[in-house]
Amino acid sequence: MISLPRSPVTNLLFLFLGLSILAPPSRAQLHLHVPATKLQAVEGGEVVLPAWYTLQGEVSSAQPREKPFVMWFFQLKEANEEQVLAYINGATTSKPGVSLVYSMPSRNVSLRLQGLQEKDSGPYSCSVNVQDKEGTNRGHSIKTLDLNVLVPPAPPSCHLLGVPRVGANVTLSCQSPRSKPAAQYQWDRQLPSFQTFFAPGLDIIRGSLSLTNLSSSMSGVYVCKAHNEVGTAQCNVTLDVSTGPGAAVVSGAVVGTLVGLGLLAGLVLLYHRRGKALEEPANDIKEDAIAPRTLPWAKSSDTISRNGTLSSVTSARALRPPHGPPRPGALTPTPSLSSRVLPSPKLPTTDGGHPQAVSSIPGGVSSSALGRMGAVPVMVPAQSQAGSLV
């Protein structure tokens, strides 16, 4: 709103008004009438601030020739006045969108405001001074009206807070960025079937709707209406309740499973390689390994086969009978049976029968005699030329 510069005529008018207060009153008294002191209007529309004056104590009902001086002011918040319209000496000056309802001169001095904005709210003052054709002051009056410009709710924005799964809880939010007075909110479900909601799930001041323990039947289109006394606006949100875990949960589970399998496979491979590395040194055959030593054998009494294999070792000393009677507690040496093939003695024959085999060992002692003496057969391993046991 732009204030009008005060012209010399306006300054003269203020001087005149100041002098008119000191002038002797005339028989007629001016009364300024306003039907209401508080008015409301809607932003973007227009409003008329009604005002008219009368002269009390007129001799005749006919309106004499008179010169009204009309000014409208807007009271700013900084306690300053802003002139919005002035009618002086038949000339009218005003702001854009401001005009008098009736052509002047007229006793109806109502003001029309168009293209209202919320900032146009506030007190408006009307000042009227009337002179007759002789220039005599016939009265002066001021009245104030209070204008309140209301703002309908701006289109709200709807949001879904939470994951809509069966058994979960979610919150639907709705908020209008601009409203005067503050908007109140109402949530309804339009599809597939109509349903309206109330407190405590619904907060009409904050515009939130709490839905708990979701089920598939709660899916649908939810509409939020923001409303005040001069307008309504709405928005909607679609609620789709899923029966399984969300895509994010499934993706996380798959990734976690793959990572776990990869770690397990790595541990198994590492353990296998480590065990193989420990087994390889034990299985290696060294070409430069030293052969085991040849066992020391008996001197002349030991018999070794021509091919280098130990065939038998017979101790002659063990086969000899003791020279004297055995001492009590003394152990009798046990002769060893030889694995060497000895020349078979001739078997004696009996009359009309098969020959009977008689086994004997060197020294002239039979195997049966050795058995009676308590001898035990012993197998002695052979040794190859390379020195290894066979």
Side-chain angles (χ1 to χ4, degrees), residues 294 297 303-312 339-341 380-390:
T294 304
W297 306 108
T303 304
I304 303 175
S305 62
R306 295 179 180 181
N307 58 2
T309 302
L310 178 63
S311 60
S312 65
S339 61
R340 178 181 176 184
V341 179
V380 178
Q383 185 178 15
S384 65
Q385 293 180 357
S388 60
L389 297 178
V390 178

Side-chain angles (χ1 to χ4, degrees), residues 153 156-157 171-179 181-187 197-210 224-228:
S157 56
T171 299
L172 306 182
S173 66
C174 176
Q175 194 67 35
S176 175
R178 188 166 179 263
S179 177
Q184 294 186 352
Y185 301 90
Q186 176 62 48
W187 278 96
F197 298 92
F198 304 95
L202 172 65
D203 189 335
I204 63 174
I205 303 300
R206 293 184 176 87
S208 62
L209 175 64
S210 298
C224 171
K225 295 180 181 179
H227 60 90
N228 62 10

Side-chain angles (χ1 to χ4, degrees), residues 173-250:
S173 66
C174 176
Q175 194 67 35
S176 175
R178 188 166 179 263
S179 177
K180 181 184 176 181
Q184 294 186 352
Y185 301 90
Q186 176 62 48
W187 278 96
D188 300 315
R189 187 179 70 174
Q190 301 291 339
L191 296 173
S193 61
F194 180 82
Q195 181 182 4
T196 187
F197 298 92
F198 304 95
L202 172 65
D203 189 335
I204 63 174
I205 303 300
R206 293 184 176 87
S208 62
L209 175 64
S210 298
L211 300 176
T212 59
N213 194 18
L214 292 178
S215 62
S216 300
S217 61
M218 299 173 69
S219 300
V221 178
Y222 288 74
V223 178
C224 171
K225 295 180 181 179
H227 60 90
N228 62 10
E229 55 189 272
V230 293
T232 302
Q234 68 181 33
C235 63
N236 63 77
V237 61
T238 300
L239 178 65
D240 186 11
V241 181
S242 60
T243 57
V249 176
V250 174

